[in-house]
Amino acid sequence: MSKSSTRKISIYLKINENSITDYFNPHDPGRLDRRQLSHDFQEYLNASIATAGRHTIIDYKVFCTESGSMRFMVDPLMRTIRRHFQIKKMLKETEFRKFKRKNYILLMISIAVVMFCQGVLPNLFGQDHRIHSMFSNAIDVFSWVVLWKPIERLIFYWNPYLKEILLLDKMQNGKITIVESEEELINHHLEHSDAA
């Protein structure tokens, strides 16, 4: 695990009559649990997990003010957050499948080009021709150049996709803790600060 990643990230949400509307897109006329998240709230969620790594635990701390009278809003808000990250995860998985398919096709085409270059083109000149060795070396270099990019992408470029899919899954399935008093919120915050 890298030193820059955090072991546990708690995302703090406050629910009261004023703040609940800030979480949703004001132009979306759908039911509350089916609305899109507001742009500012999405930015807050993304900024909250900026230091998350592969082994980071992500949870939500929801602070309900006014003696818990807004507790009924926790479920619609969390369903909207979970649905948002479920959709993002599905899109990223689709993008990853396209990435793999495109690079495997490119690799197969590259192998076909190399086989053609190595099998057919050297037969144009006889073994005794001086140009044969120069042409053979050029074909070897061309073969490595053609094969390099798909092999490099398939070996090195897949990890960011998997990391982001795992992070989106953690955001979708994060544990929810409802906090109903200021004292409880402070205790949760102190526990989190001590653990870090």
Side-chain angles (χ1 to χ4, degrees), residues 124-194:
L124 295 176
F125 303 103
Q127 291 282 346
D128 300 333
H129 244 275
R130 182 171 179 238
I131 199 165
H132 181 271
S133 65
M134 180 192 73
F135 192 64
S136 177
N137 289 339
I139 289 175
D140 289 341
V141 171
F142 177 75
S143 299
W144 277 109
V145 170
V146 167
L147 286 173
W148 176 257
K149 197 62 174 176
I151 290 173
E152 177 195 22
R153 290 181 66 82
L154 286 170
I155 292 174
F156 298 112
Y157 290 23
W158 57 270
N159 195 38
Y161 285 100
L162 294 181
K163 181 183 175 192
E164 191 167 350
I165 289 169
L166 179 64
L167 188 59
L168 293 170
D169 184 63
K170 288 180 181 185
M171 290 294 287
Q172 178 189 347
N173 298 313
K175 179 184 166 199
I176 304 165
T177 305
I178 298 175
V179 183
E180 293 185 350
S181 71
E182 296 265 348
E183 186 179 311
E184 204 177 333
L185 181 66
I186 291 169
N187 288 339
H188 278 291
H189 185 67
L190 289 175
E191 287 173 14
H192 178 66
S193 298
D194 292 342

Side-chain angles (χ1 to χ4, degrees), residues 12-15 60-74 177-188:
Y12 292 94
L13 306 173
K14 183 176 183 177
I15 296 181
Y60 298 92
K61 302 275 194 269
V62 183
F63 179 52
C64 293
T65 59
E66 300 162 12
S67 303
S69 64
M70 295 297 289
R71 189 177 177 132
F72 72 96
M73 293 301 298
V74 172
T177 305
I178 298 175
V179 183
E180 293 185 350
S181 71
E182 296 265 348
E183 186 179 311
E184 204 177 333
L185 181 66
I186 291 169
N187 288 339
H188 278 291

Side-chain angles (χ1 to χ4, degrees), residues 88-112:
K88 285 186 76 170
K89 181 178 142 193
M90 287 173 17
L91 291 172
K92 187 52 76 173
E93 287 172 339
T94 302
E95 186 182 335
F96 184 45
R97 281 193 296 274
K98 286 180 184 176
F99 165 82
K100 288 191 297 188
R101 183 173 57 241
K102 182 177 90 172
N103 283 293
Y104 279 124
I105 289 170
L106 184 60
L107 181 63
M108 293 302 122
I109 291 171
S110 299
I111 289 173

Side-chain angles (χ1 to χ4, degrees), residues 1 4 34 70 73 114 117 175 183:
M1 185 163 79
S4 62
R34 290 287 181 189
M70 295 297 289
M73 293 301 298
V114 167
C117 289
K175 179 184 166 199
E183 186 179 311

Side-chain angles (χ1 to χ4, degrees), residues 8-23:
K8 182 176 181 183
I9 294 176
S10 293
I11 299 172
Y12 292 94
L13 306 173
K14 183 176 183 177
I15 296 181
N16 59 30
E17 290 179 4
N18 298 327
S19 68
I20 194 66
T21 55
D22 295 337
Y23 295 137

